Amino acid sequence: MYIVKKKIKGKEYFYLRRSVREGDKVKSKNVAYLGKEKEVAEKRAEEIIKNLEKKVKKREDKEKEDGKIKLKGKMKKENEEKLEEIARIARKRGFFFQTARIYGGKAGFYTYGHLGKALKLDWENLWRKFFLQEENFYEIQSNNILPEKVFEASGHLKNFNDPLVECKKCHFRFRADQFLEDKGIEDTETLSIEKMSKIIKEKNFRCPKCGGNLGEVKWFNMMFPVPIGFNNEKGYLSPETAQASYLAFKEEFEATRNKLPLGLAIIDKAYRNEISPRQLFFRLREFTQAELQIFFDPEKINEHNNWNQVKEKKLRLKLAREKEIKEIRCEELNKKFGLPKFYLYYASKIQNFYLKILKIPLEKFRFRELSKEERAFYNKIHFDVELDLETMGGFKEVAGLHYRTDHDLKGHQKVSKENLEIYYENKRFIPHVLELSFGVDRNIWALLDVFYSVGKEGGIFKFPPKLAPYKLAVLPLIKNKKEFVELAREIYNQLKEEFSCFYDESGSIGRRYARQDEVGTPFCITIDGESLKRKDVTIRDRDTTEQIRVKIKDLKETLKKLLEKEIKFREAGKRISTRKK
Ligand code: ATP
């Protein structure tokens, strides 16, 4: 708020004004008349502002007491800054940026730049290697466009809806459940559209853009329609990769010699016409899923060949009826909580993937059980995998483990009229499905959030070497000495055959190190004056900035071991002091 002086017919009048956003414009509005004298006006303004602040605080305290708003404060601001900084580095250094920016872009569509794509490929390959090493588990590839009948059978046509509300004045449309959540209403996912409309009316919630009255909440189907061929046959961009695996099941079951369990994985795009795809990378309209459908005999749900490997392992989870996160042994989860062994085996596997492979700290990981009201009706058991992400304000879903029963195959059998039963171990039945469903882009954002840290020179991504987009950078100490550059290029050419590697000769060595730290390159190799004489180079460690000297002939082997964490950095070569004399 601010004081303005107005001169009317030669006399001075003071007013208190404030700036208000109306749509895209910021307007100035009168709050109070303060009188004709400057000193009195200043005093009055001070009092008015104090009283207003008191009122706001009182309201916030009350809301906090009611448990209706999330605490706002220092942490939140820090996290907002962190989000902005990550987004800035991502854009500037080529992790990701908005698609078609030159045309204004469209919310929910992003392009992976060269570093983002490398990170995504590493994530996907680690996922493949970890989940598809089991017997009779395969990756397949299908189509993104599927005929309407598929979604009639799966139920997407009828049920894949989000609640939409529209402002009667400015016609701004947005997601009603998210809007209510922001207003402090709890468990919005379980509310019917009638209940949402009622809350909006009762609480007199208004349009966040123009303050206008809101209409009734309606369902909005999130699939993108795609007319196929000259007859404009109805098709849709698939909102999940899973359906393509169900369509391929019969062929794959026969081609892989009629065995269960059968795992069919797809890593591909999914499309959802999200109403308000905010949160940057978290809610996209076109995104990548890595999904594994495991077809199994429902009579064997309480067994798994490798149960003994996991029964003593503890899972970190929040059960639907409990408030706290607990660590509970798989055996106990099976006996006391009735979760089947087949389900628990894969839950344990997912936890291992996050903790052991991606190196996510334990306290940032949890499973969250969805209550009956929250989960889709066909999911008999549903736990989300959630990671605690500062930039997203707490634990957020990045994957899910869904026991989908025979819902999908039965649906396809009914609509297609094709018999999808199998004959296996002397009986005929429709197999059940356990689905492991990961949103790849959300996982990529999670890596940026979790491994971001602030170093002396600014933000650094401390990615585990397996995930770092560049594993190495080769840097000649100075670029105007021909011999340095020649040797540096020779080393770079050798290393890039095996590692993803970046060559950089421009700018001071300090800046070049900082640039590599910023994108998370674990090791920098520097060629200096000594290198020519002694045929060795320095390796610099991103996390400690320590340096060692290593003979060029041993370089590849040493780097391999360092990247695989088979040797400690200090033991990999001769340590050198980097302190300036
Ligand atoms: P949400 O509740 O956040 O809308 P969902 O429960 O509908 O997600 P699923 O249908 O279970 O999500 O999809 C599996 C995974 O796909 C999710 O765990 C998430 O990681 C990812 N995912 C879903 N929707 C999006 C989206 N709009 N943008 C990016 N990733 C998504």
Side-chain angles (χ1 to χ4, degrees):
M1 275 183 273
Y2 50 91
I3 299 174
V4 288
K5 183 171 74 181
K6 274 194 180 176
K7 258 192 173 172
I8 304 171
K9 290 185 186 160
K11 282 187 184 161
E12 290 182 342
Y13 299 89
F14 291 89
Y15 294 87
L16 183 65
R17 294 181 76 90
R18 68 188 168 111
S19 304
V20 184
R21 176 170 284 281
E22 281 188 5
D24 291 341
K25 289 185 186 138
V26 177
K27 290 187 175 169
S28 172
K29 292 217 161 160
N30 261 345
V31 178
Y33 168 59
L34 300 172
K36 296 176 191 166
E37 282 169 34
K38 195 177 169 209
E39 268 181 27
V40 178
E42 279 172 354
K43 260 198 175 158
R44 272 195 195 157
E46 207 178 299
E47 270 169 30
I48 293 170
I49 292 171
K50 250 191 201 161
N51 278 340
L52 279 175
E53 279 175 354
K54 258 192 210 162
K55 265 192 198 166
V56 171
K57 178 143 189 342
K58 217 170 151 189
R59 200 180 63 223
E60 279 187 357
D61 283 349
K62 165 116 188 37
E63 280 175 321
K64 260 186 228 167
E65 244 173 57
D66 295 349
K68 282 183 181 159
I69 60 168
K70 290 171 210 129
L71 289 177
K72 292 178 184 166
K74 200 165 166 264
M75 273 309 287
K76 195 163 176 222
K77 189 157 185 327
E78 276 174 17
N79 294 340
E80 269 168 24
E81 281 166 13
K82 175 173 167 179
L83 184 141
E84 274 162 28
E85 188 53 16
I86 294 177
R88 187 192 66 79
I89 300 176
R91 204 168 38 238
K92 184 171 147 225
R93 306 303 306 277
F95 280 95
F96 62 80
F97 35 84
Q98 208 173 20
T99 301
R101 184 192 47 79
I102 56 169
Y103 295 103
K106 268 268 158 272
F109 294 98
Y110 278 89
T111 294
Y112 280 93
H114 65 295
L115 292 181
K117 178 69 185 173
L119 180 59
K120 185 169 180 264
L121 270 179
D122 278 344
W123 188 95
E124 288 170 358
N125 285 332
L126 288 173
W127 187 91
R128 277 189 181 97
K129 204 167 159 209
F130 189 77
F131 289 104
L132 302 188
Q133 87 233 130
E134 277 182 51
E135 190 189 330
N136 215 30
F137 279 31
Y138 311 94
E139 183 174 352
I140 60 166
Q141 167 107 53
S142 182
N143 305 101
N144 295 336
I145 301 173
L146 295 171
E148 184 172 49
K149 287 267 176 213
V150 172
F151 302 109
E152 187 189 321
S154 68
H156 282 88
L157 219 46
K158 209 168 140 206
N159 300 319
F160 198 58
N161 302 317
D162 264 349
L164 173 109
V165 63
E166 184 173 341
C167 170
K168 286 184 183 165
K169 195 170 154 202
C170 72
H171 301 288
F172 176 52
R173 297 165 135 213
F174 49 95
R175 241 177 94 167
D177 56 339
Q178 283 175 353
F179 172 69
L180 290 177
E181 197 183 315
D182 291 348
K183 291 278 182 196
I185 307 296
E186 283 175 359
D187 299 329
T188 53
E189 283 179 18
T190 61
L191 299 176
S192 66
I193 48 171
E194 290 79 20
K195 184 87 208 245
M196 287 188 220
S197 298
K198 201 166 161 233
I199 295 174
I200 289 175
K201 263 197 207 118
E202 276 173 8
K203 305 236 171 211
N204 197 19
F205 288 146
R206 290 173 166 263
C207 171
K209 258 202 172 170
C210 77
N213 279 329
L214 299 174
E216 296 290 317
V217 178
K218 293 179 188 144
W219 287 124
F220 169 77
N221 191 286
M222 294 203 299
M223 285 198 295
F224 283 99
V226 184
I228 306 171
F230 65 92
N231 276 339
N232 281 343
E233 261 176 66
K234 278 190 177 169
Y236 292 90
L237 287 172
S238 197
E240 59 178 16
T241 67
Q243 293 308 319
S245 289
Y246 307 140
L247 299 176
F249 168 70
K250 204 66 194 277
E251 279 89 346
E252 280 294 312
F253 180 71
E254 282 160 15
T256 55
R257 317 220 36 206
N258 307 335
K259 281 188 287 182
L260 289 184
L262 166 66
L264 295 182
I266 296 183
I267 301 182
D268 211 339
K269 289 289 179 90
Y271 300 83
R272 297 183 186 182
N273 201 359
E274 298 276 355
I275 298 167
S276 354
R278 47 189 194 168
Q279 294 174 305
L280 210 76
F281 223 55
F282 230 69
R283 195 161 291 286
L284 302 173
R285 286 179 164 134
E286 177 175 336
F287 56 101
T288 304
Q289 288 186 318
E291 294 193 304
L292 171 61
Q293 313 300 319
I294 308 172
F295 302 84
F296 66 98
D297 177 352
E299 282 180 9
K300 297 189 177 176
I301 187 151
N302 205 25
E303 54 189 84
H304 192 285
N305 284 348
N306 298 329
W307 172 247
N308 282 343
Q309 287 173 13
V310 303
K311 67 178 189 190
E312 292 305 324
K313 297 260 155 61
K314 283 182 181 167
L315 297 186
R316 194 175 139 83
L317 35 77
K318 191 183 153 305
L319 295 165
R321 50 188 172 276
E322 296 191 9
K323 282 221 150 41
E324 276 161 26
I325 303 174
K326 291 193 172 146
E327 285 183 33
I328 308 177
R329 281 168 53 245
C330 284
E331 178 105 84
E332 194 181 337
L333 286 165
N334 177 246
K335 290 213 167 114
K336 220 165 123 188
F337 296 89
L339 289 168
K341 290 180 182 173
F342 198 75
Y343 189 92
L344 287 167
Y345 176 78
Y346 288 99
S348 170
K349 203 153 178 172
I350 290 175
Q351 181 169 298
N352 266 354
F353 179 65
Y354 279 96
L355 304 187
K356 303 255 168 71
I357 305 293
L358 302 181
K359 309 278 183 210
I360 302 293
L362 176 70
E363 68 282 2
K364 285 190 180 282
F365 174 93
R366 75 174 186 194
F367 285 106
R368 184 176 76 86
E369 185 184 20
L370 271 72
S371 65
K372 212 169 174 194
E373 297 75 42
E374 281 178 296
R375 61 184 189 240
F377 72 93
Y378 51 81
N379 278 337
K380 209 164 167 189
I381 311 173
H382 180 162
F383 280 73
D384 276 344
V385 176
E386 296 188 335
L387 298 182
D388 189 4
L389 305 177
E390 288 175 351
T391 53
M392 292 291 142
F395 276 100
K396 285 281 154 2
E397 173 190 345
V398 292
L401 180 59
H402 316 133
Y403 174 27
R404 290 175 79 130
T405 66
D406 54 4
H407 165 78
D408 298 275
L409 289 183
K410 246 192 187 158
H412 288 303
Q413 174 168 279
K414 193 169 159 212
V415 175
S416 67
K417 303 200 171 46
E418 180 105 0
N419 183 3
L420 294 180
E421 280 180 338
I422 56 162
Y423 187 70
Y424 178 71
E425 292 186 346
N426 303 323
K427 56 181 186 208
R428 277 195 187 283
F429 62 102
I430 291 189
H432 279 206
V433 171
L434 181 66
E435 175 187 59
L436 283 66
S437 172
F438 296 71
V440 180
D441 318 83
R442 282 194 190 177
N443 275 274
I444 297 303
W445 178 265
L447 296 177
L448 298 178
D449 179 293
V450 170
F451 293 113
Y452 177 83
S453 89
V454 181
K456 271 190 233 146
E457 306 269 342
I460 303 179
F461 289 117
K462 289 192 172 176
F463 297 126
K466 278 198 178 105
L467 286 162
Y470 295 131
K471 313 293 175 214
L472 309 168
V474 176
L475 320 168
L477 191 61
I478 37 178
K479 73 168 176 184
N480 48 12
K481 277 219 163 174
K482 206 171 139 226
E483 315 87 89
F484 280 168
V485 174
E486 272 174 8
L487 181 59
R489 284 230 168 256
E490 195 185 311
I491 291 173
Y492 166 70
N493 284 331
Q494 279 173 21
L495 293 178
K496 81 172 165 45
E497 284 170 10
E498 253 178 81
F499 312 99
S500 79
C501 189
F502 187 71
Y503 177 82
D504 189 7
E505 56 180 33
S506 65
S508 77
I509 191 72
R511 279 303 306 142
R512 277 181 280 160
Y513 284 148
R515 278 205 293 265
Q516 291 310 313
D517 288 346
E518 197 179 48
V519 300
T521 309
F523 302 109
C524 286
I525 291 115
T526 310
I527 291 85
D528 58 15
E530 300 279 290
S531 304
L532 294 168
K533 277 187 265 160
R534 292 168 30 183
K535 308 229 173 312
D536 65 4
V537 293
T538 67
I539 305 180
R540 174 184 176 273
D541 178 27
R542 174 196 66 198
D543 297 343
T544 60
T545 73
E546 284 180 0
Q547 296 190 21
I548 50 173
R549 288 200 87 87
V550 172
K551 290 280 174 211
I552 296 171
K553 68 174 175 42
D554 302 328
L555 189 60
K556 248 192 199 176
E557 274 313 301
T558 308
L559 286 168
K560 244 190 233 166
K561 286 184 186 153
L562 281 172
L563 288 166
E564 289 294 327
K565 293 210 181 273
E566 285 171 13
I567 41 167
K568 291 206 174 110
F569 186 74
R570 286 181 173 190
E571 289 155 18
K574 201 168 149 226
R575 275 188 74 198
I576 50 170
S577 164
T578 51
R579 246 186 277 141
K580 284 185 188 125
K581 284 174 195 148

